[in-house]
Amino acid sequence: MAAHSKDNFVASAKFKALVIVESPTKAKKIGGYLGKDYKVLASVGHVRDLPAKAAEVPEEIKKEPWATLGINVHNQFAPLYIIPDGKKKLIRELKSALKDCDELLIATDEDREGESIGWHLVELLQPKVPVKRMVFGEITKSAILNAVQNTRDIDQNLVQAQETRRVVDRLYGYTLSPLLWKKVARGLSAGRVQSVAVRMLVTREYERQAFRKANYWDLKATLQTPRSESFVAELAGVAGRRIASGKDFDESTGKLKPGADVVLMSDVDADQLRNRIASGDWVVEGVESRPQTRRPYAPFTTSTLQQESNRKLGMTARQTMQTAQRLYEDGHITYMRTDSVTLSGEAISAARKSVKERYGDDYLSPEVRQYTTKAKGAQEAHEAIRPAGTDMKTGEELGLDGNELRLYALIWKRTMATQMAEARLTFQTAIIKAGDAEFRATGRHVDFPGFFRAYVEGVDDPEAAMDDSEKTLPLLNANDRLKLDELEPVSHETKPPARFTEATLVDRLEKEGIGRPSTYSSIIGTIQDRGYVVKQGNQLVPTFTAMAVTQLLEQHFSKLVDYSFTAQMEQTLDDVASGEADRQPYLEQFYLGEEGLESQVQTREGNIDPREACTIRLKDVSTGVRVGKYGPFLSVERDGKQVSVSLPNDIAPAELTDAMAQELIERKAVGPQSMGLHPDDGRAIYKKIGPYGPYLQLGEDNNTKDDPKPKRVSLPKGVSIDSVSFDDALKYLTLPRNLGNHPEKGTPVTASIGPYGPYVECQRVFKSIGKAGDVLTIELAQAVELLSQAKQRAGATPIKELGAHPDDGEPIGLYEGRYGPYVKHGKTIASVPKETPVESVTLEAALPWIAAKAGTTKKGGRKKAAGSKKKSSTKKAAGKKSATKKAARKKKAAEDKTEETEE
């Protein structure tokens, strides 16, 4: 049968079973495999859940002390489940459909969440026919037909485990988040895994801020063999002592670690050594060769797929899971939420056959290679992520394109590599003597690529060599005399600890046993959506808000953000899933009693000073950073007056120095100084620094009818505000520049500076100028060339087409926005609720969101009755002056961003 539609519910002949899956896409595909004897419908994700807002709580419950939590903590932590308005019709339709069926097959995803959805369906449908649980790891015809013949009961341990996780997360978030609203800022949230992930990022930022760099020198020699082959060697030691390298320095002092027996060379030392040995003999003392083998990496789990797609494809964890979901539902890969690295016998046989056909016998592993899962709490019922079925077709053979092709290719290559021969390499080291100095040259040669032919794993360190890279030394023998071509001193500088990327954060969370891979993408998305993290390139940079929240939790609720405690919580939840632990004692210990979360928050809340909680003190920065309603700011007393200045948004916490802080304060204390008067209208020109960096302003901040908002122009990144002359300022204030009409379109082409730097624009098509030119001097021809390279789109491209709206047939799309995912129908845009996984969004789920949003818009835009027109006009006139003052105050506060947190 087809997926959920009106036609599904027309009375028809008796069906063998009603099969319920989670998405309409799967329903359509599985219905095609099972045939007309089965009715296959979709639950469209969760069918009931804890109330998301107070309005969803039934009236008879609202008076209960636990109503806000949605969990009766005094009655065995019983959850209050409600059916969202958008699902009530669906439940009625499923009940009606069940009347025509001999049994009910629950075919939701084979994991804790899928098991829980299946249980909720049974609870709501109250079937009078037999109920069976149908599970499968891939959507292929053979897998589906096999699943129908091999059903089981719903696993109550998994249901209990998922419910316990949901309860713990609700208790944690709904108890701590209101505290953060009172003490730091509204809209913040705390979470069992989320808060620990933020702490990891904040701890790393403090490490970077405390880091002190060190400089050291060595020598690099370019040498020639007797056969005139050139290679490079680096200084390794002098007079029998090793030359200092980055690992020998203390990161907090920038000095050598105590007891480091190394030679630390300055630029002077390097020059003196060069002069001493350059004209002497250079002789090979010895050559060492070491053979090594590399085994293929295990097939993908959820976390390793997220890591590799981030390293190799630049995809976020959220994008990876959305793309993998589409590949799974289309029958191209196995289930993408798995901790297992095992492969089925059929998959191994298919992979080995494909390797033999595509690469030849030499590249096939002599023996079948299987991997053992070591992850904590792994769901072994699943396989690793691999191409579905036994054909093992490439992405091109399947007709894939875009992100689906890129991600599928990654999975296909990794799967092939598991059954390929080991790679064989030889590592070479040559020791060369020049006077009392010792140099070393290293090389590597791939003797047999083996599985490298299919797959090489990415690396997080941009300076690290890939496994299959070649750097072969020429043939060298002991006592060979070498010719020195060049000997140059080389300066080195130690680097601060690297910030986390999505790949390294996922890796760290998994190694610590915190959270589960299936939740990592949503966790990383949430900490960005909440303003705890911003991305700089691929780096995850914590904000000052994240530092304030982490500081509060570490000082007053240290156990809740402790890595070991959080990992133990995860293990206990896994024990509930396996039936080894009872949830009731655990929940009571976690929430109730003197040491429970409820009591901790109640007793410690009064001891938390909001001003202190919102003040961040950084090493060697004399002024504390305050986190206020409008962001981070500095506040000091000068001449009996309080001086407050906002921090530009592009300053990361670890990059703030005392000199920068003092300069910002001094500028604010002195106030903007006029550079001079504009020759055209006589208005003053000012240099200023705002939340988005330095800018120029023409005119005063009066913002009145006679003197409207002054013109402001941002300065390009890299341009110091102090270096801008009066003539430069006049040029910048001419922006946007009209470069002339586009030769083909006949419309103006302009050049200006936006939030992301200088750009050119024509008919709403934008292209960054970047290093291609100067916004003040770029000409029309160059701008037209840049615009030809721009992605010309009428609008954002949906990450998923959900289908046509039943009322007008217009398409509904799912989009990834700056503030999170949303659905769009025509001009109506509705955010996806935070509790809804993006990958589970379907047409049926989107329709009520769009209807609610459209209804709100219409209500807000409704015309007033004629009889009230005069009264309304009077009110409008009376309130106009007050509104103007209020808007001015709000604007001033937003610009200065100096208001303190409400206590």
Side-chain angles (χ1 to χ4, degrees):
M1 293 291 296
H4 172 55
S5 68
K6 292 179 181 178
D7 295 337
N8 287 139
F9 303 101
V10 177
S12 60
K14 195 93 168 171
F15 294 91
K16 285 185 177 180
L18 170 62
V19 181
I20 303 180
V21 298
E22 289 183 40
S23 80
T25 303
K26 282 190 282 187
K28 184 175 182 179
K29 201 165 192 73
I30 292 171
Y33 291 146
L34 292 178
K36 61 183 180 180
D37 290 335
Y38 292 83
K39 179 173 282 192
V40 185
L41 303 176
S43 70
V44 197
H46 290 271
V47 288
R48 66 176 185 175
D49 199 355
L50 300 174
K53 50 190 176 183
E56 294 181 348
V57 178
E59 285 298 326
E60 65 272 17
I61 301 295
K62 286 183 177 179
K63 297 179 182 179
E64 299 290 343
W66 51 269
T68 303
L69 284 174
I71 296 166
N72 190 342
V73 297
H74 303 297
N75 181 25
Q76 298 185 328
F77 292 87
L80 171 65
Y81 288 122
I82 60 102
I83 304 173
D85 290 339
K87 289 298 177 74
K88 291 176 180 177
K89 180 182 177 184
L90 173 66
I91 295 301
R92 292 195 299 270
E93 291 172 340
L94 291 174
K95 284 183 176 180
S96 175
L98 188 57
K99 295 176 182 177
D100 293 332
C101 302
D102 291 332
E103 64 179 0
L104 173 62
L105 292 180
I106 299 296
T108 48
D109 292 341
E110 190 186 9
D111 56 15
R112 298 183 190 99
E113 191 169 12
E115 207 76 15
S116 176
I117 292 172
W119 177 78
H120 280 289
L121 283 166
V122 174
E123 289 288 300
L124 290 172
L125 297 180
Q126 293 292 306
K128 295 181 173 58
V129 295
V131 178
K132 295 177 182 178
R133 179 75 167 101
M134 172 181 163
V135 293
F136 44 88
E138 60 185 11
I139 304 177
T140 60
K141 186 170 185 177
S142 59
I144 298 303
L145 295 180
N146 182 62
V148 169
Q149 298 302 318
N150 295 277
T151 56
R152 60 169 172 81
D153 294 330
I154 289 178
D155 189 330
Q156 293 299 325
N157 286 335
L158 284 180
V159 173
Q160 285 288 306
Q162 181 61 23
E163 183 171 271
T164 305
R165 284 174 183 273
R166 189 75 181 91
V167 168
V168 168
D169 289 341
R170 173 58 70 100
L171 295 175
Y172 193 118
Y174 272 49
T175 305
L176 281 175
S177 296
L179 179 68
L180 298 181
W181 303 345
K182 295 177 186 177
K183 305 298 182 179
V184 183
R186 290 199 65 82
L188 300 178
S189 68
R192 178 172 57 90
V193 179
Q194 165 193 318
S195 297
V196 177
V198 171
R199 184 194 169 202
M200 287 179 176
L201 301 177
V202 167
T203 300
R204 181 61 54 85
E205 196 70 7
Y206 275 122
E207 291 171 354
R208 288 177 63 87
Q209 204 271 332
F211 171 80
R212 296 296 174 265
K213 69 180 179 181
N215 291 93
Y216 58 99
W217 289 73
D218 60 19
L219 296 174
K220 183 174 75 173
T222 303
L223 302 165
Q224 274 194 39
T225 70
R227 291 160 295 282
S228 299
E229 297 170 294
S230 182
F231 68 99
V232 172
E234 295 176 348
L235 181 65
V238 177
R241 295 175 65 202
R242 181 170 61 82
I243 288 292
S245 62
K247 65 182 180 182
D248 297 310
F249 293 90
D250 186 322
E251 291 186 342
S252 62
T253 64
K255 300 183 183 299
L256 288 174
K257 295 175 182 176
D261 184 21
V262 294
V263 177
L264 175 58
M265 294 179 62
S266 65
D267 55 343
V268 175
D269 296 328
D271 279 333
Q272 290 176 348
L273 179 60
R274 178 182 60 177
N275 295 335
R276 192 170 76 242
I277 65 175
S279 59
D281 294 332
W282 291 73
V283 181
V284 177
E285 186 175 78
V287 180
E288 176 187 321
S289 293
R290 294 175 293 106
Q292 276 193 12
T293 58
R294 291 277 197 273
R295 295 188 75 238
Y297 320 100
F300 281 129
T301 62
T302 303
S303 68
T304 55
L305 179 63
Q306 290 173 1
Q307 292 171 52
E308 275 291 85
S309 67
N310 183 246
R311 294 186 193 111
K312 287 193 162 190
L313 308 179
M315 293 171 66
T316 65
R318 181 181 283 174
Q319 288 171 331
T320 299
M321 294 310 291
Q322 290 170 350
T323 305
Q325 177 87 28
R326 293 194 290 272
L327 288 171
Y328 168 65
E329 292 188 353
D330 289 337
H332 297 316
I333 64 171
T334 53
Y335 192 53
M336 66 286 161
R337 292 187 184 87
T338 176
D339 306 318
S340 174
V341 293
T342 59
L343 293 173
S344 67
E346 294 83 358
I348 290 174
S349 297
R352 292 180 67 81
K353 178 184 177 185
S354 186
V355 168
K356 186 173 182 178
E357 292 173 351
R358 296 175 187 272
Y359 299 99
D361 289 337
D362 290 344
Y363 286 89
L364 182 65
S365 170
E367 297 177 353
V368 168
R369 189 180 287 112
Q370 187 60 279
Y371 296 82
T372 304
T373 302
K374 298 178 182 178
K376 300 175 184 178
Q379 302 183 65
E380 288 288 2
H382 298 156
E383 279 189 79
I385 303 170
R386 62 167 177 84
T390 57
D391 291 339
M392 294 292 165
K393 291 182 178 180
T394 65
E396 290 80 5
E397 290 168 348
L398 291 171
L400 300 176
D401 58 16
N403 280 346
E404 281 83 359
L405 174 60
R406 298 166 70 215
L407 191 64
Y408 180 86
L410 207 64
I411 295 167
W412 185 90
K413 291 173 182 178
R414 182 95 160 204
T415 305
M416 292 301 105
T418 64
Q419 300 307 313
M420 293 178 73
E422 296 175 347
R424 298 192 299 273
L425 302 88
T426 298
F427 289 82
Q428 306 156 300
T429 303
I431 300 172
I432 298 151
K433 297 292 285 186
D436 63 346
E438 180 181 292
F439 286 73
R440 294 195 176 206
T442 58
R444 55 191 288 155
H445 174 62
V446 179
D447 301 316
F448 175 67
F451 72 92
F452 287 168
R453 280 282 304 276
Y455 191 87
V456 179
E457 189 166 61
V459 291
D460 294 310
D461 183 355
E463 296 183 3
M466 297 286 281
D467 271 349
D468 64 341
S469 61
E470 282 272 351
K471 183 190 171 185
T472 307
L473 287 179
L475 179 63
L476 294 170
N477 297 303
N479 300 319
D480 277 354
R481 290 185 174 275
L482 306 171
K483 177 187 174 184
L484 176 65
D485 282 342
E486 185 179 10
L487 184 60
E488 57 178 323
V490 180
S491 173
H492 301 276
E493 190 176 88
T494 55
K495 296 180 179 179
R499 288 192 179 102
F500 285 97
T501 63
E502 290 201 15
T504 55
L505 180 60
V506 166
D507 183 53
R508 176 72 183 280
L509 288 169
E510 186 174 36
K511 285 179 178 175
E512 294 284 354
I514 295 169
R516 284 295 170 255
S518 59
T519 65
Y520 291 156
S521 64
S522 62
I523 292 298
I524 292 172
T526 297
I527 62 179
Q528 293 179 74
D529 296 341
R530 297 294 187 189
Y532 290 135
V533 175
V534 294
K535 287 188 93 170
Q536 289 183 0
N538 69 341
Q539 294 183 341
L540 298 175
V541 184
T543 61
F544 284 103
T545 301
M547 301 186 91
V549 169
T550 298
Q551 175 179 268
L552 185 153
L553 294 176
E554 285 182 327
Q555 290 178 356
H556 301 281
F557 306 95
S558 58
K559 192 164 73 170
L560 294 179
V561 287
D562 179 77
Y563 302 154
S564 298
F565 175 76
T566 308
Q568 184 55 52
M569 287 178 69
E570 202 69 57
Q571 185 57 52
T572 302
L573 293 169
D574 285 341
D575 291 342
V576 171
S578 63
E580 298 174 23
D582 183 12
R583 79 174 201 150
Q584 190 65 25
Y586 168 68
L587 291 174
E588 289 176 357
Q589 181 185 21
F590 172 72
Y591 193 74
L592 302 176
E594 291 184 7
E595 294 300 316
L597 179 60
E598 181 183 41
S599 176
Q600 287 184 50
V601 172
Q602 289 174 351
T603 57
R604 298 174 189 179
E605 180 177 339
N607 299 326
I608 301 174
D609 176 14
R611 186 183 182 89
E612 189 63 26
C614 292
T615 302
I616 310 299
R617 292 178 174 81
L618 300 173
K619 183 178 179 181
D620 296 335
V621 178
S622 57
T623 306
V625 178
R626 300 279 306 284
V627 175
K629 186 176 181 180
Y630 298 103
F633 65 95
L634 303 169
S635 183
V636 296
E637 189 173 304
R638 286 285 180 92
D639 301 325
K641 295 182 179 180
Q642 201 70 20
V643 178
S644 298
V645 56
S646 61
L647 286 176
N649 290 348
D650 60 351
I651 296 182
E655 293 162 7
L656 180 65
T657 64
D658 194 55
M660 293 168 62
Q662 295 308 317
E663 182 184 354
L664 288 168
I665 291 169
E666 189 62 31
R667 285 183 182 277
K668 185 64 181 285
V670 173
Q673 301 297 305
S674 172
M675 298 176 69
L677 303 180
H678 197 286
D680 291 344
D681 59 16
R683 286 190 290 172
I685 300 173
Y686 297 99
K687 294 179 182 179
K688 290 190 172 187
I689 298 178
Y692 303 102
Y695 64 94
L696 299 168
Q697 178 173 307
L698 176 62
E700 307 294 338
D701 285 314
N702 298 326
N703 199 25
T704 63
K705 184 176 181 180
D706 296 329
D707 189 7
K709 182 178 178 179
K711 181 174 183 176
R712 292 169 179 156
V713 178
S714 297
L715 293 178
K717 285 189 177 181
V719 175
S720 168
I721 193 168
D722 294 323
S723 69
V724 178
S725 66
F726 181 74
D727 288 340
D728 292 334
L730 291 177
K731 293 175 183 176
Y732 280 117
L733 287 167
T734 63
L735 298 177
R737 291 173 57 219
N738 188 331
L739 305 182
N741 288 343
H742 195 287
E744 297 175 5
K745 301 177 182 178
T747 52
V749 176
T750 58
S752 192
I753 301 174
Y756 304 105
Y759 66 89
V760 290
E761 178 268 340
C762 181
Q763 290 185 346
R764 304 297 298 166
V765 174
F766 298 84
K767 179 62 178 177
S768 171
I769 295 175
K771 297 179 181 179
D774 186 334
V775 68
L776 297 177
T777 59
I778 190 170
E779 298 293 339
L780 178 63
Q782 189 179 5
V784 170
E785 175 61 26
L786 285 172
L787 288 167
S788 69
Q789 303 166 15
K791 294 179 180 177
Q792 300 187 30
R793 301 181 297 175
T797 301
I799 57 177
K800 186 178 183 182
E801 292 284 1
L802 300 178
H805 196 288
D807 292 345
D808 58 14
E810 291 295 313
I812 297 177
L814 172 65
Y815 297 81
E816 183 67 62
R818 182 177 180 184
Y819 302 104
Y822 64 92
V823 292
K824 182 179 179 183
H825 168 243
K827 294 183 178 180
T828 303
I829 295 174
S831 296
V832 174
K834 285 185 167 57
E835 67 274 8
T836 303
V838 176
E839 54 269 17
S840 70
V841 175
T842 60
L843 178 63
E844 288 77 2
L847 288 174
W849 302 336
I850 289 169
K853 190 69 176 179
T856 302
T857 304
K858 289 176 183 177
K859 185 177 180 181
R862 190 172 51 202
K863 291 183 179 180
K864 295 181 180 179
S868 65
K869 185 175 181 180
K870 184 175 180 180
K871 186 177 180 181
S872 173
S873 299
T874 304
K875 283 185 176 181
K876 184 176 181 181
K880 188 173 183 181
K881 187 174 180 181
S882 174
T884 302
K885 288 182 178 179
K886 186 176 180 181
R889 287 198 302 271
K890 187 174 180 181
K891 174 182 177 293
K892 181 74 167 62
E895 286 177 354
D896 291 344
K897 293 181 25 177
T898 57
E899 289 197 11
E900 300 177 9
T901 304
E902 295 179 1
E903 297 187 17

